[in-house]
Amino acid sequence: AHEAQSMVDAARKNSVALMEAMWTRYLPHIYKVREILASGVIGKIIAVEADHGQRLADYANPRHWEPELGGGALLDLGIYPVSFAHMVLGIPKKITATALFTDKGVDSHASAIFDYASGAQAVLSTTLSAKTSNTATISGELGRIEIDSVFYTPTSIRVIMHDETSTEYPRVYEGGGLREQAHYFSEVVQRGDKESALLTLDETVAIMKSLDEIRKQIGLIYPSER
């Protein structure tokens, strides 16, 4: 995280336009989620749940499994639920994490609970060993937002109120969604902005610090760090 902060500081001084590669932030259904949250319709946020699990045991891509390449579930898959929790609730006050490891010394499963000053909690999980639901839910005192699988790609969402009335927002998007970040980046450059308003440099570093704290707690240390 210290090295990342130094890179960000240098980028600011050199007026370099940077955008963190969390392309989910720029998708239409995430814009809708932000709009719903801003409206206050579901009330004070109580809980966030998100998971990202893929069955990668059948694939021999070294970047998933080799410590020298930064392998493991957390940094490859877990970044999505962690970034999602930051988008909804901000920086956690406390993180509690646990994990299981492969015989090569990278995490095959990892889970974390983020506690917030508001009293809210985020429960996040990731795994390389099984294809999980890959959904996300934001629960408030008045209702909840459900994001269907796969929550970090273009998908459908719904708002379900405490009386079980619901509003559906079906997926109408064509394509995988990666182009949206490229379009947004083009706009940032044309405006002369130094960072993305949807994912600032400070938030990028905050997310990385949360990942570092999870790694510290579960004992995930890469060869270059020893």
Side-chain angles (χ1 to χ4, degrees), residues 165-176:
T165 58
S166 64
T167 304
E168 298 283 338
Y169 299 90
R171 171 178 171 163
V172 295
Y173 189 90
E174 294 185 4

Side-chain angles (χ1 to χ4, degrees), residues 37-174:
L37 291 174
S39 75
V41 67
I42 68 169
K44 179 184 176 182
I45 304 303
I46 301 299
V48 169
E49 298 173 81
D51 83 278
H52 185 190
Q54 303 291 343
R55 180 177 166 80
L56 299 179
D58 300 325
Y59 302 92
N61 191 330
R63 74 180 180 86
H64 294 135
W65 306 103
E66 298 297 334
E68 292 79 9
L69 299 178
L74 178 64
L75 298 190
D76 192 78
L77 307 180
I79 175 62
Y80 289 92
V82 168
S83 178
F84 182 76
H86 270 260
M87 183 191 77
V88 177
L89 289 170
I91 299 173
K93 181 178 70 172
K94 177 184 176 184
I95 295 176
T96 306
T98 186
L100 295 175
F101 283 75
T102 70
D103 56 3
K104 290 193 173 184
V106 298
D107 60 306
S108 59
H109 319 311
S111 299
I113 298 175
F114 287 10
D115 287 291
Y116 293 85
S118 65
Q121 279 193 334
V123 180
L124 314 171
S125 62
T126 186
T127 179
L128 295 171
S129 302
K131 187 171 179 61
T132 60
S133 67
N134 291 305
T135 58
T137 303
I138 305 168
S139 298
E141 291 180 331
L142 304 178
R144 68 184 184 274
I145 303 170
E146 295 182 347
I147 308 177
D148 291 331
S149 186
V150 173
F151 82 89
Y152 60 86
T153 70
T155 190
S156 53
I157 70 173
R158 69 191 53 81
V159 176
I160 304 175
M161 303 307 293
H162 64 89
D163 61 2
E164 295 303 319
T165 58
S166 64
T167 304
E168 298 283 338
Y169 299 90
R171 171 178 171 163
V172 295
Y173 189 90
E174 294 185 4

Side-chain angles (χ1 to χ4, degrees), residues 17-38:
L18 291 180
M19 295 180 69
E20 197 267 10
M22 188 47 59
W23 55 279
T24 301
R25 295 289 183 103
Y26 309 96
L27 297 176
H29 76 290
I30 296 298
Y31 278 93
K32 177 56 69 174
V33 168
R34 288 177 179 271
E35 179 184 313
I36 294 167
L37 291 174

